[in-house]
Amino acid sequence: QVQLVESGGGLVQPGGSLRLSCAASGSIFSINVMGWYRQAPGKQRELVATLTSGGTTNYADFVKGRFTISRDNAKNTGYLQMNSLKPEDTAIYYCNAEVRHYDDLRRFWRYWGQGTQVTVSS
């Protein structure tokens, strides 16, 4: 099993910045993809950004140019740097990881963090 622990959320003014962290622990051989999703009240959970082990990034249109996804492979930790935050960015942000375990390297498993609240308001 894998546990994802998120941190870094909070209250920030419009135009401000936050950096979210996602620390993965457990029996991990590799993390193929780390990603961030968000969910606002009354809305579906939506993709924010993903990053593959090969360095390929994918961003939702609404965060391009403002958010940057990164990872520290040695620490099994992912990050989401959020700049120029807008009120519409207010949501619970969830970390996601697609993980391969030592006992079956042919498959990957998807895990979710508990979520961290980001509120953008003046």
Side-chain angles (χ1 to χ4, degrees):
Q1 265 289 340
V2 168
Q3 184 178 18
L4 304 179
V5 179
E6 298 161 320
S7 61
L11 176 64
V12 65
Q13 294 180 339
S17 298
L18 287 172
R19 190 180 78 155
L20 306 183
S21 298
C22 174
S25 61
S27 182
I28 300 170
F29 175 78
S30 65
I31 301 176
N32 184 50
V33 181
M34 294 201 75
W36 291 92
Y37 294 73
R38 71 186 188 186
Q39 187 169 22
K43 294 186 177 181
Q44 294 275 81
R45 188 173 298 187
E46 61 185 352
L47 170 72
V48 176
T50 60
L51 174 62
T52 72
S53 60
T56 300
T57 58
N58 182 38
Y59 294 97
D61 287 341
F62 52 80
V63 302
K64 286 181 179 178
R66 300 189 296 124
F67 292 8
T68 302
I69 188 171
S70 62
R71 62 195 290 178
D72 185 335
N73 292 327
K75 297 180 178 180
N76 281 333
T77 300
Y79 304 94
L80 183 68
Q81 179 68 47
M82 305 186 294
N83 299 326
S84 302
L85 283 162
K86 305 174 181 179
E88 53 262 43
D89 294 320
T90 296
I92 300 174
Y93 284 71
Y94 297 90
C95 178
N96 174 264
E98 295 179 352
V99 175
R100 285 188 288 182
H101 299 284
Y102 289 101
D103 57 349
D104 189 358
L105 300 180
R106 301 170 300 176
R107 302 180 63 190
F108 66 85
W109 301 79
R110 198 177 196 189
Y111 297 92
W112 292 91
Q114 80 285 355
T116 185
Q117 178 70 48
V118 172
T119 302
V120 184
S121 176
S122 59

